[in-house]
PDB file of all heavy atoms in Angstrom:
ATOM      1  N   ASP A 631     -21.173 -10.279  42.176  1.00 97.00           N
ATOM      2  CA  ASP A 631     -19.792 -10.607  41.791  1.00 97.00           C
ATOM      3  C   ASP A 631     -19.382 -10.059  40.431  1.00 97.00           C
ATOM      4  O   ASP A 631     -18.187  -9.943  40.153  1.00 97.00           O
ATOM      5  CB  ASP A 631     -19.611 -12.135  41.788  1.00 97.00           C
ATOM      6  CG  ASP A 631     -19.732 -12.689  43.195  1.00 97.00           C
ATOM      7  OD1 ASP A 631     -19.222 -12.023  44.112  1.00 97.00           O
ATOM      8  OD2 ASP A 631     -20.356 -13.747  43.370  1.00 97.00           O
ATOM      9  N   PHE A 632     -20.367  -9.772  39.564  1.00 98.00           N
ATOM     10  CA  PHE A 632     -20.004  -9.321  38.208  1.00 98.00           C
ATOM     11  C   PHE A 632     -20.820  -8.095  37.818  1.00 98.00           C
ATOM     12  O   PHE A 632     -21.982  -7.984  38.202  1.00 98.00           O
ATOM     13  CB  PHE A 632     -20.288 -10.437  37.186  1.00 98.00           C
ATOM     14  CG  PHE A 632     -19.712 -11.770  37.573  1.00 98.00           C
ATOM     15  CD1 PHE A 632     -20.550 -12.827  37.898  1.00 98.00           C
ATOM     16  CD2 PHE A 632     -18.333 -11.964  37.622  1.00 98.00           C
ATOM     17  CE1 PHE A 632     -20.029 -14.060  38.271  1.00 98.00           C
ATOM     18  CE2 PHE A 632     -17.805 -13.191  37.987  1.00 98.00           C
ATOM     19  CZ  PHE A 632     -18.653 -14.251  38.315  1.00 98.00           C
ATOM     20  N   ASN A 633     -20.220  -7.221  37.016  1.00 98.00           N
ATOM     21  CA  ASN A 633     -20.992  -6.109  36.461  1.00 98.00           C
ATOM     22  C   ASN A 633     -21.830  -6.649  35.304  1.00 98.00           C
ATOM     23  O   ASN A 633     -21.293  -7.178  34.327  1.00 98.00           O
ATOM     24  CB  ASN A 633     -20.055  -5.001  35.980  1.00 98.00           C
ATOM     25  CG  ASN A 633     -20.821  -3.745  35.613  1.00 98.00           C
ATOM     26  OD1 ASN A 633     -21.889  -3.480  36.172  1.00 98.00           O
ATOM     27  ND2 ASN A 633     -20.312  -2.990  34.665  1.00 98.00           N
ATOM     28  N   MET A 634     -23.171  -6.565  35.471  1.00 97.00           N
ATOM     29  CA  MET A 634     -24.075  -7.227  34.524  1.00 97.00           C
ATOM     30  C   MET A 634     -25.056  -6.223  33.928  1.00 97.00           C
ATOM     31  O   MET A 634     -25.296  -5.165  34.503  1.00 97.00           O
ATOM     32  CB  MET A 634     -24.919  -8.257  35.280  1.00 97.00           C
ATOM     33  CG  MET A 634     -24.182  -9.090  36.261  1.00 97.00           C
ATOM     34  SD  MET A 634     -23.743 -10.626  35.554  1.00 97.00           S
ATOM     35  CE  MET A 634     -25.356 -11.285  35.254  1.00 97.00           C
ATOM     36  N   ILE A 635     -25.669  -6.639  32.823  1.00 98.00           N
ATOM     37  CA  ILE A 635     -26.743  -5.845  32.219  1.00 98.00           C
ATOM     38  C   ILE A 635     -27.945  -6.763  32.057  1.00 98.00           C
ATOM     39  O   ILE A 635     -27.797  -7.922  31.653  1.00 98.00           O
ATOM     40  CB  ILE A 635     -26.299  -5.292  30.844  1.00 98.00           C
ATOM     41  CG1 ILE A 635     -25.446  -4.043  31.032  1.00 98.00           C
ATOM     42  CG2 ILE A 635     -27.493  -4.992  29.942  1.00 98.00           C
ATOM     43  CD1 ILE A 635     -25.038  -3.359  29.748  1.00 98.00           C
ATOM     44  N   TYR A 636     -29.127  -6.232  32.365  1.00 98.00           N
ATOM     45  CA  TYR A 636     -30.365  -6.972  32.094  1.00 98.00           C
ATOM     46  C   TYR A 636     -31.073  -6.225  30.987  1.00 98.00           C
ATOM     47  O   TYR A 636     -31.261  -5.010  31.069  1.00 98.00           O
ATOM     48  CB  TYR A 636     -31.235  -6.994  33.360  1.00 98.00           C
ATOM     49  CG  TYR A 636     -32.614  -7.575  33.134  1.00 98.00           C
ATOM     50  CD1 TYR A 636     -32.845  -8.939  33.290  1.00 98.00           C
ATOM     51  CD2 TYR A 636     -33.685  -6.768  32.734  1.00 98.00           C
ATOM     52  CE1 TYR A 636     -34.114  -9.477  33.073  1.00 98.00           C
ATOM     53  CE2 TYR A 636     -34.946  -7.300  32.512  1.00 98.00           C
ATOM     54  CZ  TYR A 636     -35.154  -8.654  32.674  1.00 98.00           C
ATOM     55  OH  TYR A 636     -36.397  -9.184  32.449  1.00 98.00           O
ATOM     56  N   GLU A 637     -31.473  -6.948  29.924  1.00 97.00           N
ATOM     57  CA  GLU A 637     -32.136  -6.250  28.806  1.00 97.00           C
ATOM     58  C   GLU A 637     -33.237  -7.101  28.212  1.00 97.00           C
ATOM     59  O   GLU A 637     -33.029  -8.275  27.894  1.00 97.00           O
ATOM     60  CB  GLU A 637     -31.093  -5.945  27.720  1.00 97.00           C
ATOM     61  CG  GLU A 637     -30.984  -4.463  27.485  1.00 97.00           C
ATOM     62  CD  GLU A 637     -30.458  -4.125  26.108  1.00 97.00           C
ATOM     63  OE1 GLU A 637     -29.789  -4.964  25.488  1.00 97.00           O
ATOM     64  OE2 GLU A 637     -30.759  -3.018  25.656  1.00 97.00           O
ATOM     65  N   GLU A 638     -34.411  -6.483  28.034  1.00 96.00           N
ATOM     66  CA  GLU A 638     -35.501  -7.267  27.439  1.00 96.00           C
ATOM     67  C   GLU A 638     -36.077  -6.609  26.194  1.00 96.00           C
ATOM     68  O   GLU A 638     -36.937  -7.178  25.549  1.00 96.00           O
ATOM     69  CB  GLU A 638     -36.590  -7.566  28.489  1.00 96.00           C
ATOM     70  CG  GLU A 638     -37.119  -6.361  29.213  1.00 96.00           C
ATOM     71  CD  GLU A 638     -38.186  -6.696  30.269  1.00 96.00           C
ATOM     72  OE1 GLU A 638     -38.058  -7.714  30.966  1.00 96.00           O
ATOM     73  OE2 GLU A 638     -39.139  -5.912  30.371  1.00 96.00           O
ATOM     74  N   ARG A 639     -35.557  -5.395  25.841  1.00 95.00           N
ATOM     75  CA  ARG A 639     -36.102  -4.711  24.666  1.00 95.00           C
ATOM     76  C   ARG A 639     -35.479  -5.248  23.378  1.00 95.00           C
ATOM     77  O   ARG A 639     -34.318  -5.634  23.373  1.00 95.00           O
ATOM     78  CB  ARG A 639     -35.779  -3.209  24.757  1.00 95.00           C
ATOM     79  CG  ARG A 639     -36.879  -2.404  25.420  1.00 95.00           C
ATOM     80  CD  ARG A 639     -36.422  -0.992  25.578  1.00 95.00           C
ATOM     81  NE  ARG A 639     -35.158  -0.950  26.345  1.00 95.00           N
ATOM     82  CZ  ARG A 639     -34.326   0.089  26.388  1.00 95.00           C
ATOM     83  NH1 ARG A 639     -34.575   1.151  25.696  1.00 95.00           N
ATOM     84  NH2 ARG A 639     -33.246   0.043  27.122  1.00 95.00           N
ATOM     85  N   ASP A 640     -36.256  -5.226  22.285  1.00 96.00           N
ATOM     86  CA  ASP A 640     -35.791  -5.589  20.930  1.00 96.00           C
ATOM     87  C   ASP A 640     -35.542  -7.095  20.765  1.00 96.00           C
ATOM     88  O   ASP A 640     -35.527  -7.849  21.744  1.00 96.00           O
ATOM     89  CB  ASP A 640     -34.513  -4.818  20.550  1.00 96.00           C
ATOM     90  CG  ASP A 640     -34.767  -3.330  20.464  1.00 96.00           C
ATOM     91  OD1 ASP A 640     -35.865  -2.942  20.030  1.00 96.00           O
ATOM     92  OD2 ASP A 640     -33.855  -2.573  20.845  1.00 96.00           O
ATOM     93  N   SER A 641     -35.282  -7.448  19.511  1.00 96.00           N
ATOM     94  CA  SER A 641     -35.062  -8.870  19.192  1.00 96.00           C
ATOM     95  C   SER A 641     -33.757  -9.327  19.837  1.00 96.00           C
ATOM     96  O   SER A 641     -32.868  -8.508  20.126  1.00 96.00           O
ATOM     97  CB  SER A 641     -34.969  -9.068  17.685  1.00 96.00           C
ATOM     98  OG  SER A 641     -33.747  -8.515  17.243  1.00 96.00           O
ATOM     99  N   ILE A 642     -33.624 -10.625  20.005  1.00 97.00           N
ATOM    100  CA  ILE A 642     -32.414 -11.155  20.651  1.00 97.00           C
ATOM    101  C   ILE A 642     -31.174 -10.822  19.810  1.00 97.00           C
ATOM    102  O   ILE A 642     -30.120 -10.487  20.340  1.00 97.00           O
ATOM    103  CB  ILE A 642     -32.555 -12.683  20.931  1.00 97.00           C
ATOM    104  CG1 ILE A 642     -31.468 -13.180  21.892  1.00 97.00           C
ATOM    105  CG2 ILE A 642     -32.552 -13.492  19.655  1.00 97.00           C
ATOM    106  CD1 ILE A 642     -31.815 -13.022  23.320  1.00 97.00           C
ATOM    107  N   GLY A 643     -31.340 -10.845  18.473  1.00 96.00           N
ATOM    108  CA  GLY A 643     -30.222 -10.540  17.571  1.00 96.00           C
ATOM    109  C   GLY A 643     -29.713  -9.123  17.794  1.00 96.00           C
ATOM    110  O   GLY A 643     -28.512  -8.879  17.890  1.00 96.00           O
ATOM    111  N   LYS A 644     -30.656  -8.186  17.897  1.00 97.00           N
ATOM    112  CA  LYS A 644     -30.268  -6.783  18.119  1.00 97.00           C
ATOM    113  C   LYS A 644     -29.577  -6.635  19.472  1.00 97.00           C
ATOM    114  O   LYS A 644     -28.635  -5.859  19.629  1.00 97.00           O
ATOM    115  CB  LYS A 644     -31.515  -5.891  18.098  1.00 97.00           C
ATOM    116  CG  LYS A 644     -31.903  -5.464  16.703  1.00 97.00           C
ATOM    117  CD  LYS A 644     -32.856  -4.276  16.777  1.00 97.00           C
ATOM    118  CE  LYS A 644     -33.335  -3.949  15.375  1.00 97.00           C
ATOM    119  NZ  LYS A 644     -34.688  -3.421  15.355  1.00 97.00           N
ATOM    120  N   ARG A 645     -30.080  -7.389  20.439  1.00 98.00           N
ATOM    121  CA  ARG A 645     -29.472  -7.287  21.779  1.00 98.00           C
ATOM    122  C   ARG A 645     -28.050  -7.854  21.772  1.00 98.00           C
ATOM    123  O   ARG A 645     -27.154  -7.311  22.392  1.00 98.00           O
ATOM    124  CB  ARG A 645     -30.364  -7.995  22.815  1.00 98.00           C
ATOM    125  CG  ARG A 645     -31.577  -7.155  23.198  1.00 98.00           C
ATOM    126  CD  ARG A 645     -32.420  -7.830  24.252  1.00 98.00           C
ATOM    127  NE  ARG A 645     -33.406  -8.735  23.678  1.00 98.00           N
ATOM    128  CZ  ARG A 645     -34.104  -9.623  24.371  1.00 98.00           C
ATOM    129  NH1 ARG A 645     -33.913  -9.733  25.674  1.00 98.00           N
ATOM    130  NH2 ARG A 645     -34.985 -10.399  23.798  1.00 98.00           N
ATOM    131  N   TYR A 646     -27.831  -8.935  21.023  1.00 98.00           N
ATOM    132  CA  TYR A 646     -26.466  -9.474  20.885  1.00 98.00           C
ATOM    133  C   TYR A 646     -25.542  -8.416  20.276  1.00 98.00           C
ATOM    134  O   TYR A 646     -24.424  -8.201  20.739  1.00 98.00           O
ATOM    135  CB  TYR A 646     -26.468 -10.718  19.987  1.00 98.00           C
ATOM    136  CG  TYR A 646     -27.009 -11.986  20.619  1.00 98.00           C
ATOM    137  CD1 TYR A 646     -27.471 -13.035  19.814  1.00 98.00           C
ATOM    138  CD2 TYR A 646     -27.048 -12.164  21.995  1.00 98.00           C
ATOM    139  CE1 TYR A 646     -27.961 -14.220  20.375  1.00 98.00           C
ATOM    140  CE2 TYR A 646     -27.538 -13.341  22.562  1.00 98.00           C
ATOM    141  CZ  TYR A 646     -27.999 -14.363  21.750  1.00 98.00           C
ATOM    142  OH  TYR A 646     -28.476 -15.519  22.304  1.00 98.00           O
TER     143      TYR A 646
END
Side-chain angles (χ1 to χ4, degrees):
D631 294 321
F632 310 113
N633 189 29
M634 317 263 297
I635 279 184
Y636 172 90
E637 240 204 337
E638 53 181 39
R639 268 175 304 163
D640 296 324
S641 71
I642 194 86
K644 274 197 185 148
R645 283 182 273 167
Y646 285 159

